[in-house]
C-alpha cells in the first residue's frame, strides 16, 4: 500500500513544503493538496517548490475541477511540472465543491467532468484534443504522463470513474462503503471494456494517532461535515431512502443545517456539530497505531492501493512521524 499526505495550502507555503519533505523522509510517496482558489493559496506554485525539494514524491490535487481553470491551462500546468521534475504529478479531479460554491457557482455536471478528464489527460500527454470545438495540441510536450484520478460517491459518478479515470479517490475510510464503491467502479470499468484492476484506488481520510479518542474525534469531526456536502447532493438527487445509495452513507446528515465554507476542512468547524461520533469513527482512522494498521489492512484487502492522510488537526508532525515509524512499515 502506498501512502499520501493531504494538506490545505494555508500560508506560509514554506510550512506546506516542509511537511511534504518530512512526509517523503518518513516513507510517504504522494503529497496532495486541496484546490480552492478563494480559500487557500495557489497549489501549483507550491507544487514547484515541493517537487524541487523532494526526490521521489508525487504531487497532485485532491481535488481540482473542470470549472475554475481552462482545461488547456490545467493540462499545460501539470505538463510543465512534469517536464521540470520528471512525470511526478497526478491530476485528482471532481465536480467541485468549495472551489465552485465559494465563488457562487454550482458544481460541474458529470458530463462536463467526463469530457474534461479525457481532454486534460490527452493534452498533458501531448495528444490532440478538442476544446470548445477547436482541436488543439500542446507542441512542446514529449513523453508526458498524467494519470487522472476522479473523486466520487454517487452511483453515476462511480460509474464515470470506472469508465474514464486512471484512479478512484474515495474520501472516507469506512470498510463497508469502500467495498460497495470499489465494486461499483470496477463493475463500470469492466462494462466499458477496461481492466478493472488497472484503476488505482485511493482512500483519503483524517488519521489521528493517540489514546485520547475524544480529543481525536473533535480534531477530525470536520471531515464528516465535508463529506456531508456531497452526501446532501446525493440525498437531493436520489431521496433519503434510495436503493441506489447506501443509508450507511446518507442517514447521518438528517440533522444537517447549512454549511459555512469559511471553516471548510478545519478542526472545530461549527458547521459539523451534526456529525455523530460513530461517523467520525467509521470515516476516519483514530486510536493507537495498531488500530490504524488493522483498519488499513482491512481496506487493503478490499483493493485499496493508497491511503492518503488528511492532516488538518493539531498533531500533523506526530502523525507523519508515527506513520513513518509504525504504520507504513507494517503495510509495505
Amino acid at each position: 500500500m502506498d501512502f499520501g499526505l493531504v494538506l490545505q495550502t494555508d500560508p506560509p507555503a514554506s510550512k506546506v513544503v516542509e511537511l511534504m519533505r518530512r512526509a517523503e523522509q518518513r516513507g510517504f510517496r504522494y503529497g496532495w493538496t486541496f484546490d480552492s482558489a478563494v480559500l487557500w493559496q495557489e497549489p501549483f506554485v507550491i507544487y514547484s517548490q515541493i517537487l524541487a525539494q523532494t526526490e521521489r514524491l508525487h504531487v497532485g490535487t485532491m481535488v481540482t475541477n473542470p470549472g475554475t481553470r481552462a482545461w488547456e491551462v490545467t493540462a499545460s500546468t501539470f505538463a510543465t511540472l512534469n517536464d521540470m521534475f520528471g512525470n511526478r504529478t497526478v491530476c485528482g479531479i471532481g465536480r467541485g465543491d468549495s472551489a465552485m460554491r465559494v465563488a457562487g457557482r454550482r458544481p460541474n455536471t458529470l458530463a462536463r467532468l467526463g469530457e474534461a478528464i479525457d481532454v486534460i489527460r490527452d493534452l498533458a500527454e501531448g495528444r490532440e484534443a478538442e476544446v470548445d470545438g477547436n482541436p488543439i495540441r500542446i507542441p512542446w510536450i514529449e513523453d508526458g504522463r498524467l494519470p487522472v484520478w476522479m473523486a466520487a460517491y454517487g452511483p453515476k459518478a462511480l460509474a464515470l470513474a470506472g469508465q474514464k479515470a486512471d484512479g478512484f479517490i474515495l474520501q472516507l475510510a469506512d470498510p463497508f462503503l469502500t467495498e460497495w464503491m470499489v465494486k461499483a467502479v470496477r463493475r463500470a470499468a469492466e462494462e466499458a471494456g477496461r481492466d478493472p484492476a488497472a484503476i488505482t484506488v485511493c482512500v483519503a481520510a483524517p488519521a489521528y494517532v493517540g489514546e485520547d479518542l475524544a480529543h481525536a474525534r473533535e480534531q477530525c469531526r470536520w471531515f464528516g461535515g465535508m463529506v456531508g456536502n456531497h452526501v446532501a447532493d446525493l440525498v437531493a438527487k436520489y431521496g433519503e431512502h434510495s436503493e441506489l445509495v447506501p443509508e450507511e452513507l446518507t442517514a447521518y446528515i438528517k440533522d444537517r443545517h447549512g454549511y459555512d465554507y469559511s471553516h471548510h476542512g478545519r478542526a472545530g468547524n461549527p458547521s459539523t456539530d451534526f456529525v455523530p461520533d460513530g461517523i467520525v469513527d467509521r470515516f476516519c482512522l483514530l486510536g493507537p497505531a495498531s488500530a490504524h494498521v488493522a483498519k488499513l489492512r482491512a481496506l487493503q484487502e478490499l483493493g485499496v492501493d493508497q491511503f492518503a492522510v488528511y492532516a488538518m488537526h493539531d498533531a500533523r508532525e506526530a502523525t507523519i512521524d508515527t506513520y513513518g515509524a509504525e504504520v507504513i512499515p507494517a503495510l509495505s
Side-chain angles (χ1 to χ4, degrees):
M1 178 180 278
D2 285 331
F3 287 83
L5 177 67
V6 189
L7 299 174
Q8 296 163 333
T9 49
D10 287 315
S14 59
K15 184 63 177 180
V16 178
V17 176
E18 175 192 324
L19 289 169
M20 292 298 186
R21 290 179 60 196
R22 188 187 196 111
E24 183 186 54
Q25 292 165 1
R26 302 300 188 271
F28 289 75
R29 292 192 60 226
Y30 288 80
W32 305 92
T33 76
F34 286 21
D35 177 18
S36 192
V38 175
L39 297 178
W40 299 290
Q41 292 185 329
E42 171 55 38
F44 288 99
V45 176
I46 299 172
Y47 293 162
S48 66
Q49 291 296 309
I50 295 170
L51 290 166
Q53 296 186 42
T54 58
E55 297 179 0
R56 300 169 303 280
L57 198 72
H58 288 66
V59 303
T61 47
M62 191 170 283
V63 293
T64 193
N65 70 87
T68 53
R69 305 175 196 273
W71 302 350
E72 68 273 20
V73 173
T74 299
S76 182
T77 305
F78 275 113
T80 300
L81 292 171
N82 283 337
D83 187 63
M84 293 172 68
F85 300 105
N87 288 340
R88 290 167 55 197
T89 69
V90 180
C91 176
I93 195 167
R95 293 177 59 229
D97 178 34
S98 63
M100 296 296 287
R101 287 177 163 133
V102 167
R105 307 185 185 104
R106 294 175 60 84
N108 297 270
T109 65
L110 287 175
R112 180 173 172 81
L113 176 56
E115 185 181 357
I117 288 172
D118 289 337
V119 168
I120 291 169
R121 183 199 292 117
D122 283 344
L123 290 177
E125 295 185 348
R127 294 184 295 276
E128 182 179 283
E130 191 171 289
V131 179
D132 295 329
N134 299 307
I136 60 173
R137 186 179 71 84
I138 302 175
W140 51 264
I141 294 176
E142 296 182 3
D143 301 319
R145 173 79 178 117
L146 182 66
V148 181
W149 297 7
M150 179 183 156
Y153 292 107
K156 292 184 178 179
L158 294 169
L160 182 63
Q163 292 159 5
K164 290 185 176 289
D166 301 298
F168 164 48
I169 297 172
L170 174 57
Q171 296 174 90
L172 53 80
D174 176 71
F176 173 83
L177 293 171
T178 298
E179 182 176 21
W180 186 85
M181 293 184 186
V182 169
K183 284 182 177 178
V185 170
R186 288 181 169 163
R187 183 168 56 249
E190 187 171 8
E191 291 172 353
R194 305 180 70 204
D195 179 4
I199 299 174
T200 302
V201 177
C202 174
V203 161
Y208 197 105
V209 182
E211 300 290 345
D212 188 344
L213 188 57
H215 179 73
R217 284 171 175 155
E218 291 313 309
Q219 287 293 304
C220 299
R221 197 175 304 276
W222 63 266
F223 184 66
M226 186 185 83
V227 174
N229 296 328
H230 304 282
V231 174
D233 288 344
L234 293 177
V235 170
K237 184 178 182 64
Y238 296 105
E240 293 184 8
H241 305 289
S242 171
E243 296 180 355
L244 298 175
V245 184
E247 288 198 32
E248 288 84 351
L249 176 63
T250 60
Y252 83 97
I253 70 161
K254 62 181 183 299
D255 294 324
R256 178 181 182 271
H257 301 288
Y259 188 84
D260 182 355
Y261 280 91
S262 66
H263 305 284
H264 189 57
R266 300 190 185 281
N269 185 339
S271 297
T272 62
D273 55 358
F274 70 93
V275 180
D277 288 351
I279 287 293
V280 183
D281 293 348
R282 282 174 47 206
F283 285 9
C284 305
L285 275 77
L286 312 175
S290 58
H292 293 239
V293 170
K295 190 168 187 178
L296 287 169
R297 281 180 174 153
L299 292 171
Q300 189 176 39
E301 289 177 1
L302 297 174
V304 174
D305 301 297
Q306 179 183 155
F307 177 61
V309 175
Y310 277 108
M312 294 73 164
H313 51 57
D314 64 2
R316 297 185 297 182
E317 288 88 351
T319 298
I320 293 168
D321 291 350
T322 302
Y323 261 66
E326 301 182 49
V327 179
I328 293 175
L331 274 297
S332 296

